[in-house]
Amino acid sequence: MTDDPVALLIEKCAAQDRAAFRALYRDTSAKLMGVLLRIVRERAEAEDALQEVYTRVWLRAGKYDPAKGRGMTWLIAITRNLAIDRLRARPDATSDDGLDMVQDSAPRAETRLVAMGEARRMADCFDTLEPERADAVRGAYLGGLSYVDLAARHAVPLNTMRTWLRRSLLRLKECLDQ
Amino acid sequence: MTDAPLTPRDADDAEAAEYVLGVQSLAERTASAARVKRDPEFAAMVADWENRFEGLNDGFDEAPAPNLLPAIEARLFPKPAKSPSRSGLWRWVSGAVFATAVVLLGLATLVPPKPALVAVLATADARLAYEVRHFGGELQITRVAGVPAVAGRVHELWLIAPGAAPISLGLLDRAELVVDYPRPPEGWTLAVSIEPAGGSPIGSPTGPVILAVEVGAET
């Protein structure tokens, strides 16, 4: 836990330490802004969502348990959840804007993954999936793609996509939990 | 792939993974979000998946964010009292179907053993009422009259600083809600809206505001 400065700051936030909250914003907002921009794809909305993210972080800090995961992982989970909620709540929720962007940056993401042990295991486990299915999982995680988006992108019926993805996820779990 | 159907446990786990990935439709997602809140086992599956996907987080590039701290802090932290502008909040509340609000403050000194009463959110006929109290860094919201929202809906509690966007303090699906929070100052508004099970999916009220009260009057 001492090697997780973000976790430490979140715990201080839980103790109502506002200086820690500012430090947390300083140290993590660029990453969370990156997550929001990638998923909601509009700067004004991303900035609005970023305010909401840190509001939630402050209010929920007491629920964070460093024994259950790293601080940054917790922050990114809150951020992705909000971003995806907003995406799904859009009237044009099936829009396929930004698909190209997701495809372009996915390989770059993976080359960087290899640098870290944890991330390497992830990459190895992705390798056990058919490339197209691994690509679908990544596109959903990083780009916020829905089943509808994925089915269109891979040109398969919605139910086929769902079956594919569910099986792939369970396979991924088996590999990662080994 | 059309092999055997998943076992119930695998189906739950797949739902947790789909929720974390975010591939579900809005309706499915709302249902899973509600399940996270009421089913600890499912919530644990979701947390496991968040950790499993950790290795992908490097795929998000950093992007410099403007300093939004002043706006965030204005939403979160009571400022030393200055005269609040009412227009912002009441513009937000207006138009909503809302019953009357009753403001009560100043009882604190009369009831020392009980947490200080901050406000009462009640309909005009008092058939639905929530008491908001503050004690030891916590806000305690208790339903003192009426019943929770109908199945598939939930009462959500909001706090609105003057001129700022509402923030959710949580769901009023049980008789009592306890939130770590400083005492809201005068001029701030507490409100209750009706939201889909699991709460507003977008972080601001989506349903009708049924109760609202401004924290007011001198202690």
Side-chain angles (χ1 to χ4, degrees):
Chain A
M1 213 211 66
T2 41
D3 66 339
D4 188 349
V6 174
L8 219 56
L9 289 175
I10 297 170
E11 289 189 289
K12 287 184 178 169
C13 287
Q16 310 287 311
D17 179 341
R18 293 188 197 176
F21 185 57
R22 291 177 165 214
L24 186 69
Y25 187 88
R26 186 193 62 214
D27 293 351
T28 59
S29 58
K31 183 71 176 181
L32 302 189
M33 188 66 183
V35 173
L36 290 167
L37 274 175
R38 182 78 180 266
I39 296 176
V40 306
R41 300 190 288 262
E42 286 164 19
R43 179 158 278 274
E45 178 156 18
E47 289 182 6
D48 185 63
L50 193 68
Q51 292 187 39
E52 177 67 21
V53 164
Y54 281 94
T55 302
R56 290 185 182 185
V57 166
W58 176 263
L59 293 174
R60 293 182 193 173
K63 291 185 182 145
Y64 170 67
D65 178 356
K68 290 186 178 155
R70 300 180 61 79
M72 187 53 98
T73 307
W74 188 75
L75 295 179
I76 290 178
I78 289 177
T79 308
R80 284 187 67 259
N81 260 330
L82 178 69
I84 291 163
D85 284 346
R86 289 187 170 217
L87 213 53
R88 296 291 166 268
R90 280 181 190 169
D92 61 336
T94 56
S95 141
D96 60 355
D97 294 351
L99 289 191
D100 295 342
M101 195 166 85
V102 171
Q103 255 159 344
D104 285 347
S105 38
R108 262 174 52 223
E110 199 168 38
T111 43
R112 253 174 310 157
L113 288 185
V114 181
M116 298 160 55
E118 186 107 358
R120 154 157 254 142
R121 217 154 60 87
M122 188 79 189
D124 287 348
C125 288
F126 265 98
D127 283 347
T128 68
L129 304 177
E130 288 97 299
E132 230 184 334
R133 300 185 185 189
D135 189 47
V137 175
R138 259 193 310 259
Y141 189 85
L142 295 173
L145 302 186
S146 67
Y147 270 137
V148 175
D149 300 328
L150 290 170
R153 176 173 163 180
H154 292 269
V156 296
L158 194 58
N159 279 337
T160 309
M161 177 47 74
R162 189 183 291 263
T163 311
W164 263 31
L165 201 79
R166 290 187 142 215
R167 299 279 170 196
S168 306
L169 288 167
L170 294 173
R171 238 182 48 226
L172 208 53
K173 174 188 170 187
E174 215 174 295
C175 176
L176 287 168
D177 288 359
Q178 259 166 28
Chain B
M1 233 155 110
T2 50
D3 9 4
L6 302 179
T7 65
R9 166 112 197 148
D10 279 352
D12 284 350
D13 211 21
E15 183 188 337
E18 286 174 323
Y19 175 68
V20 171
L21 264 193
V23 288
Q24 297 161 307
S25 67
L26 181 59
E28 292 166 332
R29 186 165 173 79
T30 306
S32 294
R35 194 171 168 197
V36 168
K37 288 186 175 144
R38 64 161 199 271
D39 177 351
E41 214 175 315
F42 184 70
M45 288 177 172
V46 165
D48 284 346
W49 276 106
E50 286 170 354
N51 284 322
R52 279 189 201 108
F53 281 123
E54 182 174 60
L56 286 180
N57 287 342
D58 262 20
F60 291 112
D61 289 326
E62 294 197 351
N67 180 14
L68 301 173
L69 268 171
I72 296 165
E73 292 181 334
R75 288 169 78 176
L76 279 172
F77 305 136
K79 279 226 174 63
K82 59 177 184 184
S83 79
S85 105
R86 304 173 121 234
S87 57
L89 25 138
W90 292 108
R91 188 163 17 94
W92 171 71
V93 174
S94 72
V97 186
F98 93 93
T100 323
V102 182
V103 191
L104 283 181
L105 202 89
L107 293 187
T109 47
L110 305 179
V111 279
K114 275 190 124 181
L117 185 64
V118 175
V120 176
L121 284 148
T123 53
D125 59 7
R127 285 173 67 178
L128 176 65
Y130 289 98
E131 274 184 8
V132 181
R133 293 178 180 276
H134 189 258
F135 186 66
E138 286 180 343
L139 277 180
Q140 304 171 357
I141 302 90
T142 314
R143 193 172 53 244
V144 291
V147 292
V150 294
R153 293 277 182 275
V154 68
H155 292 163
E156 185 156 3
L157 179 69
W158 304 91
L159 180 65
I160 309 129
I167 60 173
S168 172
L169 289 181
L171 303 182
L172 299 163
D173 47 356
R174 310 229 168 96
E176 187 176 63
L177 169 72
V178 178
V179 204
D180 286 337
Y181 201 81
R183 181 180 177 133
E186 276 179 46
W188 288 39
T189 297
L190 287 154
V192 174
S193 70
I194 299 183
E195 300 295 336
S200 163
I202 58 167
S204 54
T206 61
V209 175
I210 52 167
L211 303 169
V213 63
E214 185 177 325
V215 179
E218 272 309 315
T219 316

